[in-house]
Structures are given as C-alpha cells and as structure tokens.
Amino acid sequence: MLSAADLAELASFRRELHQFPEVSREEAATAQRIVRALAALQPDQVVTGLGGHGVAAVFNGAEAGPTVMFRAELDALPITEISEAAHRSTILGKAHLCGHDGHMTLLMGLGRLIARQKPKRGRVVQMFQPAEEDGSGAAAAVRDPRFEALRPDWAFAIHNMPGLPFGVSALKAGAVNCASQGLKITLSGKTAHASLPETGVSPALALSRLIPAISALGQVGPLGPDYRLVTITHARLGEAAFGIAPGEAELWATLRTMQDGQMAALRAAAMDLARAEAAAQGLSVRFGHHDDFAASVNDAQAVAHLARALEALGMPYDEGDLPMRASEDFGRFGQGGTRSAMLFLGVGEDHPALHNPDYDFPDALISVGVQIFHRVMRDLLG
C-alpha cells in the first residue's frame, strides 16, 4: 500500500496541480506536469496529445490478458476560486473546483503501486483525458487514430461527490448521468432608431415567446427513461442602449435527456419552435450546438467488479441518488464494446459542492480512491 511518504508527496502534487489550473482544450502545461511525473514510474508506453492534450500511460503485464483503463480528467473550470489556502489557484478566473486535480492524483498513486509490482497479465492504461467540462474530450480521445491500439476491455473512473459521507460510494448499474447538449439560438432582424421602431424588425417578441415555449419542452421531474429537461441559461436582446431598437437576439438553452436516443427529438422540437417563431416575426434564425455530452451508462459486469472491490476493502456503498441530472463524458469510453463504470466517492455531507468557488478536493480521499482502483486492477489482472 502507499506509505505516509507516498501520500505526502501525492498531496503535494495535487496541490501543485490545483495552483495552476487550465480549462478545457488549454491543458498543455497540466499534461506536461503529468508526463514529468509519469517518468519516475517508468510505464512501458506514454502517448501524448491524445484527443487534444490527453496523456495515456501503459503498463504491461507479463502475460496476455485484458486491457483495463482508469481515467482522470485534466481540465479545470472558468470560475474564480474563493480560498485562503496556500495552494489556491494562481490564475484569476480559473480553478480546480470539480476535483480533477484529485482525480489525476489518484491515477498517480495507482501508478506508484503498479511500478512496484506490475500486473500478472494484460495491461493497464492510465487515461488523463482532456476537456471533460465542455463534453468534447472523451469523444476526441476516442476518435484519435492512436486510441484503437489502447482501446480497453474494461474502463473505470471515480468522481468525488460532496453531499455523500466521507468514504461512502454511490454505485449502480444502468444510467448514472444524463445526456446533455447546449443549443444556441440566434434571431436576426433589422436594427432601427428607438424613435422609429417600425422601420426595423425586432426579435423582442419572438425571444419573449420562445423562453417559456422551449422551457416547457422539458420540466423538472423524476429521472425515468423518458426524462427531459430544458434549462434557459442565457438570453441577450440587442444593445445595452436606450436609443436603439434591437435587431438581434440570442437564447441559450441546455437540453437534458436520460437516454442518448431521446436527445435528437428534444433538440429538433426546440429548433422547430425557434424556426416557427422566427418565421412568424419575419426573422432569420441560426443555431449553434455546444457541450455535447453522451449519457453515462454503467455496465453491470463492470459495476460488479467495483462492488467486489469495495466489499473486500470494507468500504460502504449503495445506489445513493443515482442517476443524477448532471452530465459526464466518461460514457463515451463505454461505447464500442468496452465495459465501463464510474462510482461516486463521498467527500463529506457538509463539503462545498462541485463547481462552487470554495470547493477543494480533500487530500484524505487520495488513499481511499487509490485503494479502490488498485483492488479492481488486481482482481482483473492478478
């Protein structure tokens, strides 16, 4: 197991990552830190630039066997941290407020154990994935031509979870995270002087009608197979001036479904409403699609491996509040024949929530997460 010295060094590494956050698609320096730290572990192969700034380290066993992937995320959030900690973010407006610094550290801890005793068979792939927060990173990594040689038979991830008691896991088979997409609707008419609004074509009425109409396509409710939610996240109308009648408006909405197959229908319904309202008001309309997250679905056999590991370690778990509305792009790794599962590891019932400006990953969780990953790896690979 990890020694006290190991844990102290890992905590220091986690805090270094925390001080220098990089947001999605900008994680070049974070990836370099990972590569430098991996060098001491002497993996059999390191792949860089995977799907952007992704890094994959491969440790080979002595005999043939399955490939087991453990995944962490490289990116931080575009939020200003509120903290007096010595290791607080040094970059204004960017911070590790989702715990990805801790997730990377879990893989580094696992790597130390692997370096000291390689698996008997198969191989381990440690995947440091880019751009989770905008939903693009896992998809980009899987599309990378080099990923095929790394494609795992099994894939596992741990996400820390405030609100759960420390060290207690939420784990279940089936859907655990919703699919989601960001839809940006731009309505264009004709700007006019505010004294002569009739000489222009204003999108004001269309915008005011679309906000409730699109929201009504999906409402808060139980997370069943037919669950749909539409959240208006941003709206803009014209210029911030009293002398100008607006000629353009934007409406941003986040669409959520429990299953991937329902997303296309929800998106089409929202776009049809926007087209109809634009036509009625003499406007043109265009669409932008952003932050595309597939649903995360835990494979039953992969869940069974995680459950056995937790039971062997004497760590409590149940289904918690799963599934959850929030999205996670780890589900992309569960496509193409890979059996994948993520568990959610409690950091404390009173811990600041994910994405809050006062959140920080607790270093005490490092040992817990490494033990879980290590037990799963040994069970599968010897």
Side-chain angles (χ1 to χ4, degrees):
M1 299 306 298
L2 295 172
S3 67
D6 284 324
L7 292 172
E9 290 170 4
L10 289 166
S12 178
F13 178 71
R14 201 279 300 178
R15 294 179 180 195
E16 178 186 348
L17 292 172
H18 192 93
Q19 286 183 288
F20 301 101
E22 295 176 296
V23 297
S24 298
R25 310 190 201 195
E26 298 179 5
E27 315 98 325
T30 303
Q32 290 171 5
R33 283 187 168 85
I34 294 297
V35 170
R36 287 196 296 269
L38 285 170
L41 307 180
Q42 298 183 316
D44 295 288
Q45 181 186 8
V46 176
V47 180
T48 60
L50 193 67
H53 296 296
V55 177
V58 182
F59 295 86
N60 295 325
E63 303 171 6
T67 296
V68 181
M69 187 183 85
F70 298 93
R71 172 271 207 164
E73 317 94 313
L74 294 169
D75 55 340
L77 286 159
I79 305 174
T80 297
E81 182 175 17
I82 298 174
S83 173
E84 297 300 321
H87 63 272
R88 64 186 176 272
S89 172
T90 61
I91 303 173
L92 184 64
K94 300 178 183 180
H96 273 294
L97 302 177
C98 197
H100 294 180
D101 51 341
H103 300 167
M104 288 183 271
T105 306
L106 298 186
L107 291 198
M108 284 299 174
L110 176 64
R112 289 184 176 218
L113 297 180
I114 298 172
R116 294 166 189 168
Q117 185 180 16
K118 292 284 190 73
K120 180 179 179 181
R121 57 185 174 273
R123 60 179 181 163
V124 176
V125 175
Q126 293 190 305
M127 173 66 68
F128 298 87
Q129 176 213 306
E132 186 278 329
E133 294 292 355
D134 70 5
S136 68
V142 170
R143 286 196 306 267
D144 191 305
R146 295 169 296 169
F147 181 78
E148 194 55 42
L150 303 170
R151 186 176 294 278
D153 300 290
W154 302 89
F156 298 95
I158 290 173
H159 204 297
N160 77 96
M161 186 53 59
L164 287 177
F166 184 91
V168 174
S169 294
L171 175 67
K172 74 177 294 289
V176 291
N177 293 96
C178 284
S180 71
Q181 289 186 10
L183 175 65
K184 183 168 76 171
I185 302 168
T186 303
L187 301 165
S188 299
K190 183 176 182 293
T191 301
H193 194 285
S195 67
L196 299 167
E198 69 276 12
T199 65
V201 180
S202 172
L205 182 58
L207 179 64
S208 66
R209 289 177 173 173
L210 279 175
I211 289 174
I214 289 180
S215 296
L217 292 174
Q219 300 291 337
V220 174
L223 283 170
D226 297 325
Y227 176 79
R228 306 199 318 178
L229 176 66
V230 179
T231 305
I232 302 300
T233 61
H234 176 70
R236 179 185 64 81
L237 176 66
E239 305 299 328
F242 290 106
I244 305 170
E248 186 171 280
E250 281 187 1
L251 181 61
W252 295 24
T254 300
L255 317 178
R256 295 186 190 278
T257 61
M258 197 71 257
Q259 300 177 351
D260 289 332
Q262 296 176 322
M263 180 57 71
L266 178 57
R267 183 179 62 241
M271 293 169 66
D272 285 345
L273 282 174
R275 291 189 187 100
E277 194 60 51
Q281 302 299 323
L283 305 164
S284 64
V285 61
R286 63 182 186 275
F287 302 99
H289 304 282
H290 308 270
D291 293 18
D292 183 6
F293 290 84
S296 282
V297 181
N298 277 355
D299 174 81
Q301 292 186 40
V303 166
H305 280 291
L306 285 170
R308 280 195 291 272
L310 293 170
E311 290 162 4
L313 294 165
M315 296 181 181
Y317 71 95
D318 56 32
E319 293 191 358
D321 293 329
L322 298 176
M324 64 178 68
R325 296 181 195 172
S327 299
E328 231 292 346
D329 78 348
F330 177 70
R332 301 282 185 189
F333 292 111
Q335 300 170 354
T338 298
R339 295 189 178 277
S340 69
M342 170 182 282
L343 69 77
F344 299 86
L345 182 58
V347 300
E349 293 171 286
D350 298 322
H351 197 87
L354 300 176
H355 293 212
N356 276 25
D358 58 345
Y359 168 88
D360 190 16
F361 184 93
D363 291 327
L365 203 65
I366 295 171
S367 175
V368 180
V370 171
Q371 288 182 68
I372 295 169
F373 275 158
H374 188 241
R375 184 70 192 215
V376 170
M377 184 201 78
R378 292 300 175 197
D379 286 348
L380 280 165
L381 302 180

